[in-house]
C-alpha cells in the first residue's frame, strides 16, 4: 500500500481536475495552471480573450499534451457561467479544484495623505460608480457565483477525500493594508468582500467537506504587473526596494502554494488565508512609501 506520508502521495495532484478563472493571459492563473499540469492535473481555463486562452492551452500541451481545455466567457454573466458548467459536465463528473483567480484592478489617480486637501479630494473623487460596479461584479460577485454554480461537482470530488473539492479565492494582501499613499479603495474593498465571502462559504460548506481557502499574493509578475514596466511594482529594481525579501514572488512560490491547497496535504484546512508575499503585508501599513 502507498505510504500516505510520502511527498509524492501527500502533495499529489495527479489526475485531479482544476478550473482556473483568468488563466489565459500569462499571469498568476496561467502560472498556476502550468504547475498543476506539470504535476499530472487537468485544467480548464476561463477568460474573455479566446486568442490568449488558445495560446496558453498550446503552451500547456507542450508540458503535457491534452491536459488543458479553455472556455472563452465573461465571468460576470450568469448565463455564460451556466454554459461553462454544462461544458465541463460533458467531460467531468467532479471538479477537484476551483481557483477563483480572475480579477479586475482599477487604481485611482495619485492621492496621498500628504497631499493638500483639494488635491486629495480630487484624487479620491475620481472614482465613478461604473468602476465600482465592474469591480464588485468581477472581484466579489463572480468568485461567489462561480463557486456556487460548481457546488455539485465540488461536492462529488470532496466525497472522494484526500483534499479534493478545494476552492481557492485569489485576493491580495492589499486587503490587510491601509497605506495612506495609495488610492484603490474600490479594488481593495471588493477583494476584502471576496475574502469574507470565502469564509462564509467555507462555513456553509463544512457538511459537504468542500474546503474554501484564500491565497493572498503580494507582488508577482503578470500581465497586469509587467516586470518590463520600469515603474511597475514587479520590475526587479522596484520590487527590490518595496519587498522585504527584495524580490517579487516567483512561479515556484505560487505553484508550491496552489499544489498544497489542491492536495491531501491541506485536507484539514478550510477558511484559512495564506499570504504569499515574502512578508510584504507586515510592513505595508507604514506611511513612508507607496505599497500595495
Ligand atoms: N500580480 C500581482 O502582483 C497580484 C497581486 C495581488 C493580487 N493579484 C490577483 O491575482 C489575480 C490574477 O491577476 P494577474 O496579476 O495575474 O493579472 P492578469 O494576468 O491581468 O489576470 C487577470 C485575469 O482575469 C481575467 N478576467 C478579468 N475580468 C474577467 C471577466 N469579466 N471574465 C473572465 N475573465 C476575466 C483576465 O482575462 P481576460 O482579460 O481574457 O478576460 C485575466 O486573465 C487577480 O485576481 C489579481 O487581483 C495579483
Amino acid at each position: 500500500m502507498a505510504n500516505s506520508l510520502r511527498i509524492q502521495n501527500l502533495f499529489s495532484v495527479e489526475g485531479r481536475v482544476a478550473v482556473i478563472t483568468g488563466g489565459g493571459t500569462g499571469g498568476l492563473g496561467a502560472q498556476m495552471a502550468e504547475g498543476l499540469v506539470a504535476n499530472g492535473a487537468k485544467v480548464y481555463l476561463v477568460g474573455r480573450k479566446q486568442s490568449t486562452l488558445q495560446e496558453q492551452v498550446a503552451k500547456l500541451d507542450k508540458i503535457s499534451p491534452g491536459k488543458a481545455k479553455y472556455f472563452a466567457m465573461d465571468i460576470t454573466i450568469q448565463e455564460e457561467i451556466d454554459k461553462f458548467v454544462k461544458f465541463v459536465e460533458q467531460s467531468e463528473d467532479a471538479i477537484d479544484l476551483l481557483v477563483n483567480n480572475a480579477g479586475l484592478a482599477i487604481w485611482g489617480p495619485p492621492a496621498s495623505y500628504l497631499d493638500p486637501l483639494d488635491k486629495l479630494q480630487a484624487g479620491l473623487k475620481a472614482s465613478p460608480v461604473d468602476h465600482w460596479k465592474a469591480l464588485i461584479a468581477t472581484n466579489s460577485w463572480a468568485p461567489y457565483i462561480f463557486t456556487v454554480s460548481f457546488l455539485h461537482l465540488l461536492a462529488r470530488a470532496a466525497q472522494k477525500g484526500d483534499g479534493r473539492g478545494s476552492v481557492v479565492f485569489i485576493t491580495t494582501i492589499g486587503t490587510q493594508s491601509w497605506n495612506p499613499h495609495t488610492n484603490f479603495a474600490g479594488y481593495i474593498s471588493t477583494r476584502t468582500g471576496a475574502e469574507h465571502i470565502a469564509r462564509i462559504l467555507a462555513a456553509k460548506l463544512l457538511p459537504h467537506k468542500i474546503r474554501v481557502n484564500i491565497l493572498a499574493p503580494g507582488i508577482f509578475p503578470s500581465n497586469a504587473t509587467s516586470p518590463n514596466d520600469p515603474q511597475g511594482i514587479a520590475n526587479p529594481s522596484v520590487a527590490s526596494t518595496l519587498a522585504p525579501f527584495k524580490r517579487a514572488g516567483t512561479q515556484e512560490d505560487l505553484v508550491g502554494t496552489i499544489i498544497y491547497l489542491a492536495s491531501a496535504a491541506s485536507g484539514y484546512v478550510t477558511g484559512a488565508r495564506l499570504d504569499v508575499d515574502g512578508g510584504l503585508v507586515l510592513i505595508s501599513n507604514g506611511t513612508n512609501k507607496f505599497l500595495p
Side-chain angles (χ1 to χ4, degrees):
M1 198 175 135
N3 184 339
S4 61
L5 301 182
R6 290 186 60 86
I7 285 170
Q8 53 267 48
N9 300 320
L10 192 54
F11 285 85
S12 174
V13 294
E14 181 80 40
R16 298 209 175 185
V17 179
V19 169
I20 305 178
T21 65
T25 48
L28 276 59
Q31 293 171 36
M32 288 186 278
E34 286 165 20
L36 289 163
V37 165
N39 288 287
K42 178 175 177 185
V43 299
Y44 287 81
L45 303 181
V46 163
R48 287 165 301 185
K49 289 187 214 88
Q50 179 151 344
S51 56
T52 52
L53 288 162
Q54 275 171 340
E55 279 167 27
Q56 189 57 33
V57 166
K59 209 172 161 191
L60 293 168
D61 274 342
K62 285 193 186 134
I63 298 172
S64 185
K67 288 288 171 65
K69 290 188 179 179
Y70 74 87
F71 195 84
M73 62 171 286
D74 187 328
I75 57 163
T76 66
I77 299 174
Q78 177 72 62
E79 295 73 32
E80 297 195 12
I81 298 175
D82 293 341
K83 276 188 204 158
F84 176 55
V85 172
K86 287 205 172 75
F87 174 75
V88 173
E89 282 174 335
Q90 285 169 12
S91 314
E92 315 296 339
D93 69 344
I95 290 295
D96 301 302
L97 173 70
L98 167 61
V99 187
N100 287 308
N101 162 76
L104 175 66
I106 302 178
W107 295 169
S112 164
Y113 82 121
L114 295 175
D115 289 337
L117 186 64
D118 56 345
K119 187 173 175 216
L120 178 66
Q121 186 175 26
L124 295 177
K125 219 175 148 192
S127 193
V129 71
D130 286 352
H131 285 184
W132 282 75
K133 284 181 181 167
L135 287 162
I136 290 168
T138 312
N139 294 342
S140 302
W141 181 80
Y144 168 76
I145 209 72
F146 224 87
T147 306
V148 170
S149 301
F150 274 104
L151 284 186
H152 57 301
L153 295 180
L154 287 161
R156 275 188 217 143
Q159 280 164 17
K160 299 180 197 167
D162 287 335
R164 294 181 180 85
S166 169
V167 181
V168 179
F169 276 52
I170 305 295
T171 61
T172 166
I173 55 140
T175 61
Q176 303 299 304
S177 172
W178 36 93
N179 183 284
H181 289 292
T182 57
N183 186 15
F184 35 71
Y187 173 66
I188 296 300
S189 59
T190 52
R191 284 289 176 209
T192 308
E195 292 192 353
H196 202 78
I197 290 164
R199 292 195 176 100
I200 289 169
L201 289 175
K204 270 197 198 306
L205 298 172
L206 288 170
H208 305 284
K209 299 188 175 64
I210 297 170
R211 303 180 297 112
V212 186
N213 292 293
I214 299 159
L215 191 168
I219 299 170
F220 279 84
S222 78
N223 190 41
T225 52
S226 168
N228 301 322
D229 173 358
Q231 314 295 328
I233 54 172
N235 180 284
S237 64
V238 180
S240 72
T241 62
L242 291 180
F245 286 178
K246 306 209 176 303
R247 65 168 176 86
T250 62
Q251 188 170 10
E252 289 75 11
D253 295 326
L254 195 61
V255 168
T257 311
I258 201 65
I259 284 179
Y260 168 67
L261 290 172
S263 64
S266 66
Y268 207 50
V269 179
T270 191
R273 175 188 148 115
L274 283 174
D275 295 335
V276 186
D277 70 335
L280 182 59
V281 71
L282 301 175
I283 60 157
S284 66
N285 284 317
T287 56
N288 62 346
K289 60 183 170 184
F290 170 94
L291 286 168

